[in-house]
Amino acid sequence: PQISAKMSETGNTEGFLCHIAIGLESARPPATAENKGTGWINTDPKDTPGFKKIYTSDGKEWKAVYQPGSVDVSVPFVRDIIFADMKEKSEAFFKENPDDLYVFPTDAEDGETPDADRVKTQANKNWYPEYLAKEKLPFGRPYLLNGYKGINQPVEIWGGTSANDNIYAMTAYMLHEYDKWIDSLPKDQQVTSTGKSKKAQIRGGLQSYNFHDVPPNFNPDPRTRVAIAPFPKNRGIGKWEKLVSQEDMSKAMQIMLPSEPFSNYSFYSFSHYDDHGPAGIPARASLSPRVIADMYRNFYDVGFRAITFEADLNFAKSGLGYYLASKMLWNVKLTAKDLDAIRDRWFHRAFGSAWKEAKAYYDFLIPENFPPNGPNAWAKAIRLLDAADKKIATVATKEPEVQKRIDDLKQFWYMHYLFDTGKFAKDSPEVREYLWKGQMSYMVSMHGLLGRNYRRNMQTKDIKALVGPTISAGPAHFTHEETQAWWPKILDTWQVTPVSTFADATLANGKPARTVDVNDL
């Protein structure tokens, strides 16, 4: 917003990596194919309806946005605004945490501008070498990665329109400017309250993924910290032909940044994108004891010393894996056998008398054990869960928390039952009830369900408005009795039926049953 405001104030059309037009809202032309991708920043004065409004054209209409595109760090005033933010936040951090490192993020957004588009819109493609020359800093030094994975580059070079080089350059710029600023302060302000040098306590942090997934073409500031993601655009291409995996990047960072730990950026659960309808029933990745033990040990062996997770709650599919991963992070020497014993202990504690049945259910859901996704797999899974339910029913009064945990797992299947049977519609009473009473579930990632499937259609974030006053007047959870009312419907819908009776299988309402060959189970 500060960048847009500055552009509006000065009439400068440089500041974002897209074509920008500036003017009064009343002067904005219609959206057409010719201005598709263009940003528009209003110059309307304060206290008028158009003040500070920003739009982008999709070729058919102008849509209000937070900012019109990725910021262009080649523009000096853009760097000044970001650096002012760094100074303010670092001082606030050191005031509260005088002995800790402050890592300032210098990363781009997920949807950053591709290199091909930078060629068209980046204001100054040579800004970083020019900055280094102005500051009398060296460039063209021996390149640290020369000879690694077949890279043949004896000295540093600059890729002016490379997202990769621009992001690492911005990190180096910020750290150098920070050093200059600290040196300009009185001696007592150059250190924290406990006497630590602020220059020694500052770091620049970025992620290695998307359009900036490979190392820079020059040696980065040694105070750079990198989280390496498995999301490549340039790995395995051109000069990076043999630099393909996170492990390859890890070794490259050990060469370029030997004094800094670097992080493995891992993706575990994206319910907002992955969990919609029965196609989203299987877990995104296996979190079995063997996979977790092998994965984390491999991360450690190739040099990773931190993990950056992108995940959501989603405990029905990933919760037990999160628990085992936390154990591995405490002790990377644990074996698959060790984790399996920890996992059994968890089943004993979580499911009491039904622990063996619950384990059979969880084992079945491990991706390498899960059959091709479909009614046959769902029918098997819900019957394994039902076996745990029947086992605990005999002692439920002694283990009420176990019954609640099993009932919560049933909600995961109820959601997919509503999808599969066509009941997941905005006016469905079952869905409205689920959106309200599912709020207290540990097993279902409700934010994904609400955000993608429902709020988008209803154009509101007010959950009470979504479900209506009658439902919202009640408790935000399913009772055991309510759960028992809809659970048999799920069992009836995805039922195990011998092949010989397939043609005759019907439900009580006369509709064909979703049948499964018992031999497949």
Side-chain angles (χ1 to χ4, degrees), residues 35-52:
N35 59 33
K36 182 178 180 181
T38 296
W40 179 278
I41 298 175
N42 279 3
T43 57
D44 296 56
K46 191 175 181 181
D47 299 325
T48 63
F51 180 59
K52 286 190 175 181

Side-chain angles (χ1 to χ4, degrees), residues 243-478:
L243 197 158
V244 178
S245 65
Q246 285 178 288
E247 289 79 4
D248 296 336
M249 275 295 299
S250 169
K251 293 172 183 176
M253 289 297 106
Q254 290 178 65
I255 297 170
M256 300 196 95
L257 301 166
S259 299
E260 292 299 321
F262 40 92
S263 175
N264 181 291
Y265 188 176
S266 297
F267 301 81
Y268 278 148
S269 176
F270 291 105
S271 61
H272 182 77
Y273 301 101
D274 294 345
D275 286 10
H276 302 279
I281 286 174
R284 168 182 273 262
S286 176
L287 294 173
S288 70
R290 177 188 57 79
V291 168
I292 290 175
D294 291 349
M295 178 171 60
Y296 282 88
R297 183 68 209 191
N298 179 62
F299 288 165
Y300 186 84
D301 289 345
V302 299
F304 288 109
R305 292 298 179 267
I307 299 290
T308 302
F309 290 109
E310 189 160 342
D312 46 32
L313 189 63
N314 218 351
F315 261 49
K317 295 199 293 188
S318 305
L320 179 51
Y322 295 159
Y323 176 70
L324 297 181
S326 71
K327 296 296 182 182
M328 200 70 190
L329 290 172
W330 278 110
N331 181 5
V332 76
K333 295 181 180 179
L334 291 174
T335 65
K337 184 177 180 181
D338 295 330
L339 286 186
D340 200 51
I342 293 171
R343 188 169 180 265
D344 276 356
R345 184 184 66 186
W346 183 87
F347 283 121
H348 277 282
R349 293 175 173 178
F351 292 100
S353 300
W355 79 271
K356 289 183 179 179
E357 290 78 8
K359 181 179 180 181
Y361 167 78
Y362 274 86
D363 286 348
F364 180 72
L365 290 182
I366 292 174
E368 52 263 43
N369 297 338
F370 202 65
N373 191 37
N376 60 329
W378 313 334
K380 175 67 173 179
I382 61 176
R383 277 158 181 78
L384 289 170
L385 181 57
D386 195 55
D389 189 40
K390 286 182 169 59
K391 181 67 176 286
I392 200 64
T394 62
V395 292
T397 56
K398 297 180 181 178
E399 301 178 78
E401 297 307 313
V402 175
Q403 183 67 69
K404 289 180 181 179
R405 197 163 287 118
I406 292 173
D407 286 352
D408 199 1
L409 277 168
K410 291 177 183 178
Q411 288 189 49
F412 174 79
W413 292 101
Y414 188 35
M415 173 183 68
H416 291 297
Y417 159 81
L418 294 175
F419 274 116
D420 188 53
T421 56
K423 292 183 174 65
F424 205 96
K426 66 179 183 180
D427 295 323
S428 164
E430 293 95 340
V431 170
R432 289 179 182 273
E433 179 187 50
Y434 190 92
L435 293 176
W436 183 254
K437 295 185 176 181
Q439 290 183 86
M440 298 305 293
S441 172
Y442 283 95
M443 296 298 169
V444 180
S445 192
M446 293 295 291
H447 81 276
L449 187 67
L450 283 164
R452 186 166 183 178
N453 287 97
Y454 214 74
R455 282 179 177 157
R456 180 178 294 179
N457 295 331
M458 299 294 284
Q459 301 297 309
T460 179
K461 293 184 178 180
D462 184 350
I463 183 67
K464 288 188 175 182
L466 283 174
V467 304
T470 302
I471 294 175
S472 64
H477 61 84
F478 286 101

Side-chain angles (χ1 to χ4, degrees), residues 26 91 97 112 136 165 185 196 452 462 464 486 500:
S26 60
E91 287 296 278
N97 309 277
E112 66 183 84
K136 296 181 172 55
D165 279 12
L185 300 176
K196 291 185 178 293
R452 186 166 183 178
D462 184 350
K464 288 188 175 182
W486 47 252
S500 59

Side-chain angles (χ1 to χ4, degrees), residues 446-518:
M446 293 295 291
H447 81 276
L449 187 67
L450 283 164
R452 186 166 183 178
N453 287 97
Y454 214 74
R455 282 179 177 157
R456 180 178 294 179
N457 295 331
M458 299 294 284
Q459 301 297 309
T460 179
K461 293 184 178 180
D462 184 350
I463 183 67
K464 288 188 175 182
L466 283 174
V467 304
T470 302
I471 294 175
S472 64
H477 61 84
F478 286 101
T479 65
H480 177 62
E481 290 71 26
E482 289 170 333
T483 303
Q484 292 299 88
W486 47 252
W487 181 242
K489 299 177 184 178
I490 302 172
L491 292 169
D492 283 345
T493 299
W494 301 326
Q495 56 183 305
V496 180
T497 305
V499 172
S500 59
T501 62
F502 182 91
D504 299 323
T506 58
L507 298 181
N509 60 10
K511 294 182 179 180
R514 299 296 299 273
T515 56
V516 180
D517 183 349
V518 70

Side-chain angles (χ1 to χ4, degrees), residues 82-95:
I82 298 172
F83 181 57
D85 185 53
M86 178 185 185
K87 289 194 293 184
E88 179 182 347
K89 288 180 177 176
S90 63
E91 287 296 278
F93 178 86
F94 285 136
K95 184 177 181 179

